[in-house]
Amino acid sequence: MIQRIQSLWLLLAALFNALLFFIPLYQFNFPNQVYSPWMVERVSSFIPLFIVAAVIVVLPLISIFFFKNRKRQSSMVWISFISILTFLSIVLMRVSNLKNGTPQPGNFQYSFPGILVVIIAAIFLVLALRGIRHDEKLVKSMDRLR
């Protein structure tokens, strides 16, 4: 299972995505209120965000076990990458709704580790795709020699 480098990249991507459940994504407050503390938004506080986060954790783990079927593994990594982009777009949509809220606009701050974790996981997925392509080229060159 961990014979190829892409398995390691996929495992690291899944571990970094799993960190999303433990660190905050952003902080916000409403300055027009009398007492307005900074509140923290986590993945678990918004159901669609929670579902997409669970998908981006599980898909790289599942794709590790498709090491014999490189096309399926590559397609699952692409789906995981698209899920990461979906996750980022949902976070940006939530922040823009919070920033331009109809009852009262709020102040917000991105949590640097929260967004950085997702970007690092996307880089690991790109490295895994590169490893899958390298294995595919190696297999094709070996078939040519036969």
Side-chain angles (χ1 to χ4, degrees), residues 119-142:
I119 293 171
I120 290 173
I123 291 170
F124 285 147
L125 288 177
V126 169
L127 290 173
L129 278 172
R130 206 171 123 200
I132 293 168
R133 281 192 203 127
H134 176 68
D135 279 356
E136 189 66 34
K137 285 181 184 178
L138 186 65
V139 168
K140 285 183 181 179
S141 70
M142 293 306 246

Short mmCIF file of all heavy atoms in Angstrom, two decimals, residues 119-142:
data_model
loop_
_atom_site.label_atom_id
_atom_site.label_comp_id
_atom_site.label_asym_id
_atom_site.label_seq_id
_atom_site.Cartn_x
_atom_site.Cartn_y
_atom_site.Cartn_z
N ILE A 119 -4.69 24.58 1.50
CA ILE A 119 -3.78 24.84 0.37
C ILE A 119 -2.64 23.82 0.36
O ILE A 119 -2.27 23.31 -0.70
CB ILE A 119 -3.26 26.29 0.45
CG1 ILE A 119 -4.42 27.25 0.20
CG2 ILE A 119 -2.14 26.52 -0.55
CD1 ILE A 119 -4.10 28.69 0.45
N ILE A 120 -2.10 23.49 1.53
CA ILE A 120 -1.03 22.48 1.60
C ILE A 120 -1.56 21.12 1.17
O ILE A 120 -0.88 20.37 0.45
CB ILE A 120 -0.43 22.43 3.01
CG1 ILE A 120 0.37 23.71 3.27
CG2 ILE A 120 0.45 21.21 3.20
CD1 ILE A 120 0.87 23.84 4.69
N ALA A 121 -2.78 20.78 1.55
CA ALA A 121 -3.38 19.51 1.13
C ALA A 121 -3.57 19.48 -0.38
O ALA A 121 -3.36 18.43 -1.01
CB ALA A 121 -4.70 19.29 1.84
N ALA A 122 -3.94 20.61 -0.98
CA ALA A 122 -4.08 20.67 -2.44
C ALA A 122 -2.73 20.46 -3.12
O ALA A 122 -2.63 19.79 -4.16
CB ALA A 122 -4.70 21.99 -2.86
N ILE A 123 -1.66 21.00 -2.53
CA ILE A 123 -0.31 20.79 -3.08
C ILE A 123 0.07 19.32 -3.00
O ILE A 123 0.63 18.75 -3.94
CB ILE A 123 0.71 21.68 -2.35
CG1 ILE A 123 0.46 23.15 -2.70
CG2 ILE A 123 2.14 21.28 -2.68
CD1 ILE A 123 1.24 24.13 -1.87
N PHE A 124 -0.27 18.66 -1.89
CA PHE A 124 0.00 17.23 -1.76
C PHE A 124 -0.78 16.42 -2.80
O PHE A 124 -0.27 15.43 -3.34
CB PHE A 124 -0.33 16.73 -0.36
CG PHE A 124 0.69 17.12 0.68
CD1 PHE A 124 0.29 17.38 1.97
CD2 PHE A 124 2.03 17.23 0.38
CE1 PHE A 124 1.21 17.73 2.94
CE2 PHE A 124 2.96 17.60 1.32
CZ PHE A 124 2.55 17.85 2.62
N LEU A 125 -1.99 16.84 -3.11
CA LEU A 125 -2.77 16.14 -4.14
C LEU A 125 -2.14 16.31 -5.51
O LEU A 125 -2.12 15.37 -6.32
CB LEU A 125 -4.21 16.63 -4.15
CG LEU A 125 -5.07 16.20 -2.97
CD1 LEU A 125 -6.44 16.83 -3.06
CD2 LEU A 125 -5.17 14.69 -2.90
N VAL A 126 -1.60 17.49 -5.80
CA VAL A 126 -0.92 17.71 -7.08
C VAL A 126 0.32 16.83 -7.16
O VAL A 126 0.61 16.23 -8.21
CB VAL A 126 -0.57 19.20 -7.26
CG1 VAL A 126 0.36 19.42 -8.42
CG2 VAL A 126 -1.84 20.02 -7.44
N LEU A 127 1.05 16.72 -6.06
CA LEU A 127 2.23 15.84 -6.04
C LEU A 127 1.83 14.37 -6.21
O LEU A 127 2.54 13.60 -6.86
CB LEU A 127 3.00 16.04 -4.74
CG LEU A 127 3.73 17.37 -4.59
CD1 LEU A 127 4.31 17.51 -3.20
CD2 LEU A 127 4.81 17.52 -5.64
N ALA A 128 0.70 13.98 -5.65
CA ALA A 128 0.21 12.61 -5.83
C ALA A 128 -0.15 12.36 -7.29
O ALA A 128 0.16 11.29 -7.83
CB ALA A 128 -0.99 12.35 -4.93
N LEU A 129 -0.80 13.34 -7.93
CA LEU A 129 -1.11 13.18 -9.36
C LEU A 129 0.16 13.03 -10.18
O LEU A 129 0.21 12.26 -11.14
CB LEU A 129 -1.92 14.37 -9.86
CG LEU A 129 -3.40 14.33 -9.57
CD1 LEU A 129 -4.05 15.65 -9.93
CD2 LEU A 129 -4.04 13.21 -10.34
N ARG A 130 1.17 13.79 -9.82
CA ARG A 130 2.45 13.69 -10.52
C ARG A 130 3.06 12.29 -10.36
O ARG A 130 3.59 11.71 -11.31
CB ARG A 130 3.39 14.75 -9.97
CG ARG A 130 4.44 15.17 -10.93
CD ARG A 130 5.17 16.36 -10.39
NE ARG A 130 6.57 16.00 -10.32
CZ ARG A 130 7.46 16.59 -9.59
NH1 ARG A 130 7.13 17.58 -8.83
NH2 ARG A 130 8.71 16.20 -9.62
N GLY A 131 2.96 11.73 -9.15
CA GLY A 131 3.46 10.38 -8.92
C GLY A 131 2.67 9.32 -9.68
O GLY A 131 3.24 8.36 -10.18
N ILE A 132 1.36 9.50 -9.77
CA ILE A 132 0.53 8.57 -10.53
C ILE A 132 0.89 8.61 -12.01
O ILE A 132 1.02 7.57 -12.66
CB ILE A 132 -0.96 8.89 -10.30
CG1 ILE A 132 -1.35 8.61 -8.85
CG2 ILE A 132 -1.85 8.07 -11.25
CD1 ILE A 132 -2.70 9.15 -8.47
N ARG A 133 1.07 9.80 -12.54
CA ARG A 133 1.49 9.92 -13.95
C ARG A 133 2.85 9.29 -14.19
O ARG A 133 3.07 8.66 -15.23
CB ARG A 133 1.53 11.39 -14.37
CG ARG A 133 0.20 11.96 -14.65
CD ARG A 133 0.32 13.30 -15.34
NE ARG A 133 -0.89 14.05 -15.12
CZ ARG A 133 -0.96 15.27 -14.63
NH1 ARG A 133 0.13 15.92 -14.35
NH2 ARG A 133 -2.11 15.85 -14.45
N HIS A 134 3.75 9.46 -13.24
CA HIS A 134 5.08 8.86 -13.38
C HIS A 134 4.98 7.34 -13.41
O HIS A 134 5.65 6.68 -14.22
CB HIS A 134 5.98 9.32 -12.23
CG HIS A 134 7.33 8.69 -12.23
ND1 HIS A 134 8.27 8.97 -13.21
CD2 HIS A 134 7.89 7.80 -11.39
CE1 HIS A 134 9.36 8.26 -12.97
NE2 HIS A 134 9.16 7.55 -11.85
N ASP A 135 4.16 6.75 -12.55
CA ASP A 135 3.95 5.30 -12.56
C ASP A 135 3.32 4.83 -13.86
O ASP A 135 3.67 3.78 -14.40
CB ASP A 135 3.08 4.88 -11.38
CG ASP A 135 3.86 4.77 -10.10
OD1 ASP A 135 5.09 4.94 -10.13
OD2 ASP A 135 3.22 4.52 -9.05
N GLU A 136 2.37 5.62 -14.37
CA GLU A 136 1.71 5.26 -15.62
C GLU A 136 2.72 5.24 -16.78
O GLU A 136 2.71 4.34 -17.61
CB GLU A 136 0.57 6.22 -15.91
CG GLU A 136 -0.32 5.82 -17.05
CD GLU A 136 -1.10 4.55 -16.76
OE1 GLU A 136 -1.50 4.31 -15.62
OE2 GLU A 136 -1.32 3.79 -17.72
N LYS A 137 3.58 6.23 -16.83
CA LYS A 137 4.62 6.28 -17.87
C LYS A 137 5.59 5.11 -17.72
O LYS A 137 6.03 4.53 -18.72
CB LYS A 137 5.39 7.59 -17.80
CG LYS A 137 4.64 8.77 -18.32
CD LYS A 137 5.48 10.02 -18.23
CE LYS A 137 4.70 11.24 -18.66
NZ LYS A 137 5.51 12.47 -18.52
N LEU A 138 5.93 4.76 -16.49
CA LEU A 138 6.84 3.64 -16.25
C LEU A 138 6.22 2.33 -16.72
O LEU A 138 6.88 1.51 -17.35
CB LEU A 138 7.17 3.58 -14.77
CG LEU A 138 8.21 2.55 -14.34
CD1 LEU A 138 9.58 2.90 -14.93
CD2 LEU A 138 8.29 2.50 -12.82
N VAL A 139 4.95 2.11 -16.44
CA VAL A 139 4.27 0.89 -16.87
C VAL A 139 4.18 0.84 -18.39
O VAL A 139 4.41 -0.21 -19.00
CB VAL A 139 2.87 0.79 -16.21
CG1 VAL A 139 2.03 -0.29 -16.86
CG2 VAL A 139 3.01 0.54 -14.73
N LYS A 140 3.87 1.95 -19.04
CA LYS A 140 3.80 1.98 -20.50
C LYS A 140 5.16 1.71 -21.13
O LYS A 140 5.25 1.04 -22.16
CB LYS A 140 3.25 3.32 -20.98
CG LYS A 140 1.76 3.46 -20.78
CD LYS A 140 1.27 4.77 -21.32
CE LYS A 140 -0.22 4.91 -21.10
NZ LYS A 140 -0.75 6.17 -21.59
N SER A 141 6.22 2.22 -20.53
CA SER A 141 7.55 1.97 -21.09
C SER A 141 7.94 0.51 -20.91
O SER A 141 8.62 -0.07 -21.76
CB SER A 141 8.60 2.88 -20.46
OG SER A 141 8.83 2.52 -19.12
N MET A 142 7.53 -0.11 -19.82
CA MET A 142 7.81 -1.54 -19.60
C MET A 142 7.01 -2.40 -20.57
O MET A 142 7.49 -3.44 -21.00
CB MET A 142 7.51 -1.93 -18.16
CG MET A 142 8.44 -1.27 -17.18
SD MET A 142 10.15 -1.58 -17.60
CE MET A 142 10.65 -2.55 -16.26
#
